[in-house]
Amino acid sequence: MLITDDFLPVPVPESLDATYLVPITGLPKVSPKTAVDGLAGRLAEPVHGLARQMLDSPLMTVDTRTVDEFPELPPDLLTAFGATEEQLARLAAATHLVVVQAEYRPGWPPAHEWAARAVAAAVAETVGGDVVDVFGLQFLDPAAALRSLPDDQGRIRLVDWVLVPYSSDSDGLWFTTKGLRRFGLLELQAQGVPDHLTRAWGAVMTGAARRLLRDWTDGLAGDEVPAFVQLPVLATVTGHDIAVAYGNPEQHGATAPVLLRLELDPATDPDADSFLSLNPPPGHPGPPGRYFAAACATLFNGIQPDVRYTRTGDAMSRAVETARAALGDIRARFLAGRLPEESQLVVKYGLPGDDGPEYVWAGVTSWDTPERIVGASASDANTDPSVRIGSPVVVEASDVVDWAVLDGTGVLEGGWTQAVLDAGERGED
């Protein structure tokens, strides 16, 4: 095996398995094969045929067990991954579990996952119940489980298979993926991510997962399963990677790529998981969070600083007036937690400069008094070397000229001055 500084050898497991549950009361009245036959015409090929073939092979088992025969699923973790009270109640009331398990070699397609999920969804439909993805500790209704399977062109949304949970520590946010091990690949992690990048960095992680999964499955394309697949140490992530992972390939893709350095972080505990860590590329100065913020700005066409002036009575002045008039309302919504889930409030304010004010953006972290906003800079300032991506800033509300609510796809609300600037760049009146 050739090993170079440009590639990282990642071990390949000998086989992969998938487990899905269908909680029921009493015993199922329809066989799994009959249930799968009922999906004819609704489930794209080759998945429908694959599910039928695996049902007839030793690679899949479908058993009905009493609830007591299966290890208890942790309600707190199920809740953390989106379980509703109704779903948990149905699980608690169930007397039996239909257990669907499948095994297959690493590579593409991931037949064990596709077939097991299809069979479990078919059974759940016949009993009006839920599907429980044991790997992801997620409830899926049968329709959602079937939608997650490949379409007639073999396409899936990676977000239906890979989650990106995060937690907070003293250095910022710690992101991991949960789902790449379905395909035999180690999970990804990134540490020291700025707090205001929760949604955006989660999307970057998903895009990185899509790119690395493609490299991974390309390395498994031969007849024999190799012991290692060599992944590039410098992974390139583009807006197109993110868009495809979310099932919207036409939505994004014109942005510049960003580089992330891949590093193997092996577990010291045999029961713990090893990770592939995403880091800034070699030579990047400053903390990782600064690079992560810059990467998000690149990939999402982030709101950039500008040094243009407003003129009384023009469109820019009207934009500033509109934004300032709504400051009180957006502050109240921010404090009440009424902004969209996983969104970020940012404000635009002026920094004095020799050639006039430079307007920069900051992510709002607290706004206890109407006059003063505490946040983290979303960009590097040209006029003030202390204002750098991720650095803490205190903004006087009187200096604010705009605000916006962002998520991983862009501006959800606000951003009036940016709209004026963008229109000017396009030559619009």
Side-chain angles (χ1 to χ4, degrees), residues 106-155:
W108 200 264
H112 60 297
E113 283 286 352
W114 289 358
R117 184 173 287 198
V119 172
V123 172
E125 269 199 341
T126 66
V127 298
D130 305 300
V131 176
V132 180
D133 171 13
V134 173
F135 180 92
L137 284 177
Q138 273 192 302
F139 275 90
L140 302 170
D141 67 71
L146 293 173
R147 283 196 303 270
S148 71
L149 294 166
D151 62 15
D152 54 7
Q153 298 183 46
R155 300 172 301 187

Side-chain angles (χ1 to χ4, degrees), residues 170-252:
S170 58
D171 296 324
L173 298 176
W174 174 38
F175 279 78
T176 62
T177 59
K178 185 175 178 61
L180 287 177
R181 282 195 296 113
R182 299 179 190 272
F183 311 104
L185 182 58
L186 297 178
E187 303 291 358
L188 306 182
Q189 69 171 358
Q191 295 174 289
V193 179
D195 290 350
H196 67 284
L197 296 178
T198 53
R199 183 69 179 269
W201 188 254
V204 174
M205 291 278 288
T206 306
R210 184 257 175 184
R211 171 57 65 99
L212 290 170
L213 183 58
R214 189 177 66 177
D215 293 339
W216 174 255
T217 53
D218 285 347
L220 296 172
D223 293 334
E224 299 293 329
V225 177
F228 294 87
V229 167
Q230 295 203 69
L231 296 179
V233 169
L234 288 180
T236 302
V237 182
T238 67
H240 181 69
D241 289 318
I242 296 171
V244 171
Y246 280 83
N248 299 306
E250 73 288 342
Q251 187 181 76
H252 206 320

Side-chain angles (χ1 to χ4, degrees), residues 31-40 43 48 51-52 55 115 118-120 122-123:
S31 72
K33 189 171 183 178
T34 300
V36 171
D37 287 344
L39 296 179
L43 192 60
H48 186 241
R52 296 181 64 186
L55 266 175
V119 172
V123 172

